[in-house]
Amino acid sequence: MDEWTAPSVIERELYGAKARGDWGAYMDALARAELFLPQPRAQIDADPAAARFHPDAANTLAVYTRGMLPAPDAHTVYLRQSLAWFANAWDHRDPSHLAVNPGSPVEAYLTTTPADLARWRAHWDAADSWGLAPGAVHALYTGGPLHGPVARGLAVGAHLAVSNGEFWNALAYHGNGYTRERERLRTMWEIDDAAGWFAVLQRMLDAEIVSPVWEFALRVRRVLASDFAGPVDVEHWRHAAEVSLRRSAELAAQPRLTPDGVTVAEPRPAAEVEGEIAGVRRLIGRITRYEQRFRADGLLPAGGWVRSVEGWDYGRASQMARWGVACRYGTVQDAERAVLRAGRQALGAYRSWAEFSAGYALARCLHFDEEEFGSWYESSLATHLTLTTDPASPFLNIPWE
């Protein structure tokens, strides 16, 4: 036990309390921890609202803290509950013991008399928090990679992991439990099967969900910055974007030679082209104003600018790969392949973690914030600053290249 490394801060606290023989502190830590109850997947698929107790031969019911969850498999899923939920759900017909992390150095077998259940409720009532705190860096110290290509791909999704209060490096992912993860994908992404999950994941990995108009505008500036080896004036940027859009419209209207002969294309309506140009000019102004605020708040360095917004898709792909594992739409091996690709894609689009993070933040602000500089902006800024300054952040511990 002296050589045991706790998977996370949750189990480290439980281990310390147990080693001291301080069972009051152990129960306090347990009350703050999420407890995951194993269930047969077929049963939950048939009746998602029902959580049932399945005791072992010794009449004990096993539960696991987040860092001690077994690797996902096709037949067993886990539901997230609190200590108070167990105290309120228990009655005299239920198992005689609650087994917390059985078989590990932090295991505890809790008796379940009415007096015990009352103590569980008292510890729950005294708890000042539940689960991992959102807005902070959380990691698995065992059971999740901390270095190497897979860790880099997982770190690409760290913005969401920090915002949601999850382990950034959990590949064998359970998230908030099987039913809650399925509900997340259903309500937020309209995904309810493996095919739908895979299709969205591939679109993210190909950066097809983030707005192509945003990326077009930034690409024009990247080319200008490369050609002129220096800062790009905003009006020069707008003019170059306009010229590019007009040229594209002209080329689209030219006859084309195809295997079926010459194809004559209809010119795009002038009003449509002019509207597109006006929209891109407004977008460039909006990006410029966000970058000014980014520089003022330390999200960009002095003179810095955003190279690309594709990182928003790559970061979400890294998370989507894991969400699919939690929902059993994909395997851990499927997720690893996607995470590795997300890492490679980000590496090709940016030159540093800070650049990647700024691109991710800009896309999120363009989509949600609408130049209000409100909660969406503040949360993006806070997450960026956490990931670029916290000594435990993967951005500071995994080399970009």
Side-chain angles (χ1 to χ4, degrees), residues 10 20 27 41 47 53 74 76 109 137 156 189 206 293 315 324 329 331 334 344 374 382:
I10 303 164
R20 297 191 306 271
M27 294 303 298
R41 179 182 171 188
D47 189 1
F53 291 171
T76 302
Y109 288 80
V137 176
V156 166
W189 291 97
D206 291 332
R293 182 66 178 268
Y329 293 148
T331 65
D334 294 330
R344 291 193 299 270

Side-chain angles (χ1 to χ4, degrees), residues 97-351:
H97 290 81
L98 180 70
V100 179
N101 296 329
S104 77
V106 291
E107 71 178 2
Y109 288 80
L110 308 179
T111 53
T112 58
T113 67
D116 294 317
L117 302 181
R119 278 192 290 273
W120 297 3
R121 295 188 192 97
H123 283 283
W124 168 260
D125 290 340
D128 57 1
S129 63
W130 185 58
L132 296 172
V137 176
H138 302 287
L140 286 169
Y141 303 110
T142 63
L146 293 166
H147 303 283
V150 175
R152 180 191 295 114
L154 292 168
V156 166
H159 265 264
L160 276 167
V162 167
S163 297
N164 294 336
E166 298 179 344
F167 300 129
W168 70 263
N169 62 334
L171 186 62
Y173 182 85
H174 293 276
N176 295 318
Y178 180 70
T179 54
R180 288 183 176 90
E181 290 299 316
R182 285 206 160 199
E183 183 63 19
R184 184 205 320 239
L185 291 194
R186 184 180 302 111
T187 57
M188 297 183 67
W189 291 97
E190 299 182 349
I191 294 171
D192 56 13
D193 58 23
W197 167 74
F198 186 76
V200 171
L201 176 61
Q202 294 307 305
R203 290 187 64 208
M204 288 177 173
L205 289 169
D206 291 332
E208 291 180 350
I209 295 181
V210 69
S211 170
V213 179
W214 304 346
E215 190 61 25
F216 163 77
L218 293 173
R219 184 168 60 250
V220 169
R221 182 172 57 178
R222 284 201 307 273
V223 172
L224 293 174
S226 176
D227 286 347
F228 294 97
V232 178
D233 177 76
V234 174
E235 285 310 313
H236 184 192
W237 180 12
R238 284 186 168 126
H239 176 71
E242 178 176 344
V243 169
S244 178
L245 289 170
R246 292 192 188 283
R247 179 59 177 159
S248 294
E250 292 170 1
L251 290 174
Q254 291 180 359
R256 289 174 293 166
L257 183 62
T258 70
D260 297 324
V262 175
T263 300
V264 178
E266 288 289 332
R268 290 175 60 195
E272 181 181 303
V273 175
E274 294 303 321
E276 190 174 80
I277 290 169
V280 169
R281 291 179 67 89
R282 287 194 301 272
L283 171 64
I284 289 171
R286 194 175 176 200
I287 291 171
T288 301
R289 290 187 291 276
Y290 268 117
E291 289 176 334
Q292 289 172 342
R293 182 66 178 268
F294 282 8
R295 287 188 286 270
D297 290 341
L299 207 153
L300 280 174
W305 47 277
V306 175
R307 293 181 58 82
S308 169
V309 287
E310 289 184 350
W312 196 34
D313 269 0
Y314 303 145
R316 292 185 295 177
S318 177
Q319 285 290 324
M320 181 62 74
R322 288 176 265 189
W323 295 338
V325 173
C327 296
R328 303 306 190 269
Y329 293 148
T331 65
V332 173
Q333 291 74 28
D334 294 330
E336 181 174 318
R337 285 191 291 271
V339 161
L340 284 168
R341 187 175 165 204
R344 291 193 299 270
Q345 296 287 77
L347 196 60
Y350 300 93
R351 299 176 298 186

Side-chain angles (χ1 to χ4, degrees), residues 3 5 14 37 49-50 58 60 120 130 137 167 199 206 243 255 296 358 364 376 380 394:
E3 298 178 356
T5 299
L14 292 170
L37 176 67
T60 65
W120 297 3
W130 185 58
V137 176
F167 300 129
D206 291 332
V243 169
R364 194 168 183 264
W376 288 105
S380 297

